[in-house]
């Protein structure tokens, strides 16, 4: 394909910079292999206005986390009038905020684990009584399971809060623990791709197991009955749209012991590394990594 010069935005200044560079370089090589005039562009090293000055026609956003996935870069590209991949300003901002995403889902009757916002002077015993143990503590505005702790006793709560709220300068969220398998629904355009079941060592799908080990198993086809999988894909697509998301992304969910679904979060600029899930789901329906990158780029827009 052609269509002018394309900037692959990668790196950035978030806690997920390392993964963004892996994603961005993968996308860069894939687009080049398809004849796209793609060049790397790191917003921490370049002025975004260079995109306009240097005549870029489109941007493939391979940034992860704050500053790249939260609506800020999207807003800048809107001002510059340069089409970009993925969700717009509103969808990006909402999905990055797990708290407000949950409020939208709950207001529309979608299932998501019970939660509460934490503060330093909370009664930790009361938090444990309200949500039960074990529970999950995580930042409200970080991805890649950064700052997430599975808490098994009240004594662990202060340190978990400290990690989530202080290290990542953010609101911390305590969430009901769902005991069951985790699934992810990759969304490209208006379609949810086959679900992937995630099996991490000791159920610990943390940053290390997500990106840097081969111990985590990804099962696709996911093993669910066809009707159940289709229902979950439809739920994920609805959750994605209600959060204002468009273009492409990923919705993570779990099933409890009764087989009922619980929505966890939306990712609007998912990983595109060798361990990443959207390329894996695309491959299951015969879409190569290279073709997936082109397909995502073709959906670039300004709102």
């Amino acid at each position: 394909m052609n269509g002018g010069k394309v900037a692959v935005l990668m790196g950035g200044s978030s806690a997920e910079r390392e993964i963004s560079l892996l994603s961005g370089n993968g996308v860069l090589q894939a687009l080049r292999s398809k004849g796209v005039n793609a060049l790397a562009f790191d917003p921490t090293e370049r002025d975004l206005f260079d995109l306009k000055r240097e005549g870029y026609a489109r941007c493939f956003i391979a940034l992860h986390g704050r500053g790249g996935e939260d609506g800020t870069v999207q807003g800048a590209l809107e001002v510059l009038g340069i089409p970009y991949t993925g969700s717009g300003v509103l969808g990006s901002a909402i999905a990055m905020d797990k708290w407000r995403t949950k409020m939208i889902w709950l207001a529309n009757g979608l299932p998501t684990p019970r939660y509460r916002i934490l503060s330093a002077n909370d009664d930790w015993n009361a938090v444990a009584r309200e949500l039960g143990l074990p529970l999950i503590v995580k930042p409200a505005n970080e991805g890649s399971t950064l700052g997430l702790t599975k808490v098994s006793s009240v004594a662990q709560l202060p340190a978990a809060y400290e990690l989530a709220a202080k290290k990542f300068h953010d609101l911390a969220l305590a969430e009901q623990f769902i005991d069951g398998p985790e699934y992810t629904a990759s969304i490209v355009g208006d379609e949810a791709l086959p679900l992937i079941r995630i099996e991490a060592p000791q159920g610990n799908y943390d940053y290390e197991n997500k990106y840097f080990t081969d111990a985590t198993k990804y099962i696709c086809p996911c093993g669910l009955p066809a009707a159940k999988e289709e229902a979950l894909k439809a739920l994920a697509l609805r959750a994605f749209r209600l959060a204002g998301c468009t273009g492409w992304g990923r919705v993570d969910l779990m099933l409890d012991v009764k087989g009922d679904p619980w929505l966890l979060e939306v990712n609007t600029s998912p990983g595109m590394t060798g361990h990443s899930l959207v390329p894996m789901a695309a491959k299951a329906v015969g879409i190569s990594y290279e073709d997936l990158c082109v397909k995502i780029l073709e959906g670039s827009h300004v709102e």
Side-chain angles (χ1 to χ4, degrees):
M1 65 177 289
N2 46 36
K5 199 160 57 168
V6 173
V8 180
L9 303 189
M10 65 174 89
S13 58
S14 84
E16 298 178 70
R17 175 179 172 82
E18 183 180 12
I19 305 306
S20 174
L21 290 169
L22 291 173
S23 291
N25 280 299
V27 169
L28 185 67
Q29 298 310 317
L31 292 177
R32 286 176 173 173
S33 77
K34 289 292 186 175
V36 178
N37 182 17
L39 294 96
F41 193 102
D42 187 340
T44 59
E45 298 172 357
R46 304 282 305 278
D47 186 333
L48 277 176
F49 284 96
D50 286 347
L51 293 167
K52 193 74 171 177
R53 284 192 285 261
E54 296 174 15
Y56 282 93
R58 286 176 290 176
C59 291
F60 191 116
I61 298 177
L63 298 163
H64 306 318
R66 281 187 277 191
E69 200 172 351
D70 59 2
T72 53
V73 160
Q74 290 77 8
L77 295 174
E78 291 284 338
V79 171
L80 295 172
I82 301 173
Y84 57 92
T85 55
S87 293
V89 176
L90 179 66
S92 300
I94 290 172
M96 195 69 201
D97 188 325
K98 297 180 181 72
W99 176 29
R100 287 171 175 82
T101 299
K102 278 177 168 289
M103 287 196 286
I104 289 170
W105 285 344
L106 290 167
N108 286 276
L110 271 59
T112 187
R114 291 182 298 112
Y115 73 96
R116 65 174 285 174
I117 299 295
L118 298 178
S119 65
N121 56 2
D122 271 336
D123 178 338
W124 301 121
N125 286 294
V127 172
R129 282 196 302 272
E130 181 181 339
L131 297 175
L133 290 172
L135 57 79
I136 299 295
V137 174
K138 58 188 178 183
N141 287 300
E142 280 293 344
S144 288
T145 61
L146 287 162
L148 181 145
T149 307
K150 181 181 176 183
V151 171
S152 301
S153 71
V154 173
Q156 293 175 293
L157 272 166
Y161 168 76
E162 187 78 14
L163 175 66
K166 298 291 164 52
K167 183 174 180 182
F168 295 101
H169 313 292
D170 207 2
L171 280 174
L173 196 71
E175 187 178 69
Q176 170 194 7
F177 175 71
I178 305 300
D179 188 9
E182 182 169 350
Y183 296 82
T184 194
S186 302
I187 293 165
V188 179
D190 292 320
E191 181 187 4
L193 301 177
L195 297 184
I196 297 171
R197 188 167 88 250
I198 300 162
E199 290 186 0
Q202 289 83 50
N204 185 23
Y205 192 43
D206 62 8
Y207 187 75
E208 189 70 20
N209 284 327
K210 187 173 279 193
Y211 295 112
F212 298 110
T213 76
D214 293 315
T216 301
K217 294 179 182 175
Y218 304 102
I219 297 121
C220 188
C222 68
L224 291 170
K228 178 77 168 180
E229 181 172 3
E230 287 305 313
L232 293 176
K233 284 164 62 177
L235 174 66
L237 202 51
R238 183 159 183 246
F240 186 75
R241 289 171 176 159
L242 280 170
C245 301
T246 55
W248 77 295
R250 218 184 66 225
V251 177
D252 299 336
L253 57 98
M254 298 186 79
L255 297 184
D256 63 19
V257 289
K258 296 185 290 185
D260 293 331
W262 297 87
L263 295 160
L264 300 180
E265 63 179 279
V266 181
N267 294 278
T268 54
S269 182
M272 290 290 282
T273 73
H275 281 76
S276 293
L277 302 175
V278 178
M280 202 178 299
K283 186 178 179 182
V285 288
I287 302 171
S288 70
Y289 181 91
E290 293 77 13
D291 287 338
L292 173 64
C293 291
V294 169
K295 189 176 178 71
I296 291 168
L297 181 63
E298 286 172 342
S300 56
H301 63 99
V302 287
E303 289 191 322

